[in-house]
Amino acid sequence: MVMILGCDEAGRGPVIGSLMIAGVMVEERKLEELKKIGVKDSKLLKHPKRVALSEQIKKIADEYKIIVVSPKEIDEAVESTSKQMNLNWLEAHKIAEIVNELGPDKVYLDCPSPNIKKFTAYLRELIHDDKIEIIAEHKADVKYPIVSAASILAKVKREEEVAALEVMTGQSIGTGYAANPICQKFLKENWDKYPEIFRKSWV
């Protein structure tokens, strides 16, 4: 019985809210089930479809885990003076946490770094079991259904958080990116009211 894990993130770029990193693990024979329900890169799906698929994925998965990385933790990594910590390395630590907890035989992940070899080597040092095979690629969320599944869970979790923030503040955050006019307005009006929801290293 070969266990396959897919990992991906959502919310890496926005100035508001958390970064979500998800892992979905299935027996190898279940990969076909993910294909049958129509999983694909979450960015290619509309919100209602993502939500529906996320529930189906959770039923198919043998195990899954979603890590919420707070704005404070992101700021600490981005502003770190250590060469051993930045946003990519922070993501590696979170992926390793998922891998070490779920214990797959093989891991597929969407590599956040332009240097795949370096990122894979760094991640390898963090994973307890050196027999686990790591396949890190760019656009893995498009190529591998197991990574698409993780992409969907991460994106839905991120959307849930954004919706909760908008309810809490009574305002739209727009795209959540600093260049977006709606987001800029939100930042000006809420920066001092809700400092914990912003990535201060982004602005």
Side-chain angles (χ1 to χ4, degrees):
M1 184 173 67
V2 178
M3 302 304 292
I4 309 294
L5 175 69
C7 291
D8 200 7
E9 52 74 20
R12 183 178 163 94
V15 68
I16 301 168
S18 306
L19 166 66
M20 310 299 180
I21 302 177
V24 174
M25 189 166 77
V26 300
E27 285 184 49
E28 195 167 28
R29 63 179 178 81
K30 287 186 179 179
L31 292 174
E32 281 302 315
E33 292 183 47
L34 292 175
K35 289 181 185 177
K36 283 178 185 174
I37 65 171
V39 298
K40 59 175 72 173
D41 175 16
S42 64
K43 294 185 287 295
L44 303 176
L45 299 164
K46 294 190 173 169
H47 174 70
K49 183 65 173 176
R50 281 196 292 266
V51 173
L53 280 173
S54 71
E55 293 307 311
Q56 290 177 277
I57 290 163
K58 289 174 182 178
K59 289 174 184 175
I60 292 169
D62 290 275
E63 292 189 70
Y64 68 89
K65 182 178 178 67
I66 304 170
I67 293 177
V68 179
V69 187
S70 71
K72 181 175 183 290
E73 193 170 4
I74 292 167
D75 286 340
E76 287 170 355
V78 171
E79 294 173 340
S80 174
T81 55
S82 168
K83 290 182 180 178
Q84 291 303 308
M85 186 50 66
N86 57 40
L87 188 57
N88 288 341
W89 297 156
L90 176 63
E91 199 167 322
H93 278 269
K94 300 305 179 181
I95 291 169
E97 184 180 330
I98 293 171
V99 173
N100 289 332
E101 181 175 325
L102 301 188
D105 298 295
K106 191 181 290 188
V107 184
Y108 290 87
L109 62 99
D110 193 35
C111 186
S113 168
N115 191 330
I116 294 174
K117 187 176 179 181
K118 188 175 180 181
F119 183 86
T120 304
Y122 186 88
L123 178 62
R124 170 66 65 195
E125 291 178 8
L126 302 172
I127 293 174
H128 301 154
D129 185 350
D130 60 10
K131 295 185 184 69
I132 295 173
E133 185 179 351
I134 301 171
I135 298 95
E137 296 182 14
H138 296 140
K139 304 293 184 185
D141 49 356
V142 176
K143 188 172 179 182
Y144 302 107
I146 191 66
V147 183
S148 301
S151 166
I152 290 166
L153 291 199
K155 183 70 171 173
V156 169
K157 183 72 173 176
R158 166 75 188 171
E159 288 171 333
E160 287 172 355
E161 184 191 61
V162 168
L165 290 175
E166 291 186 335
V167 168
M168 179 180 79
T169 61
Q171 289 179 259
S172 169
I173 70 169
T175 63
Y177 286 81
N180 175 254
I182 296 171
C183 183
Q184 288 172 4
K185 180 176 182 290
F186 182 90
L187 283 167
K188 287 175 185 174
E189 294 177 3
N190 294 283
W191 183 261
D192 294 326
K193 292 182 193 173
Y194 309 101
E196 71 283 357
I197 73 173
F198 299 110
R199 303 179 192 181
K200 296 173 180 62
S201 55
W202 253 237
V203 292

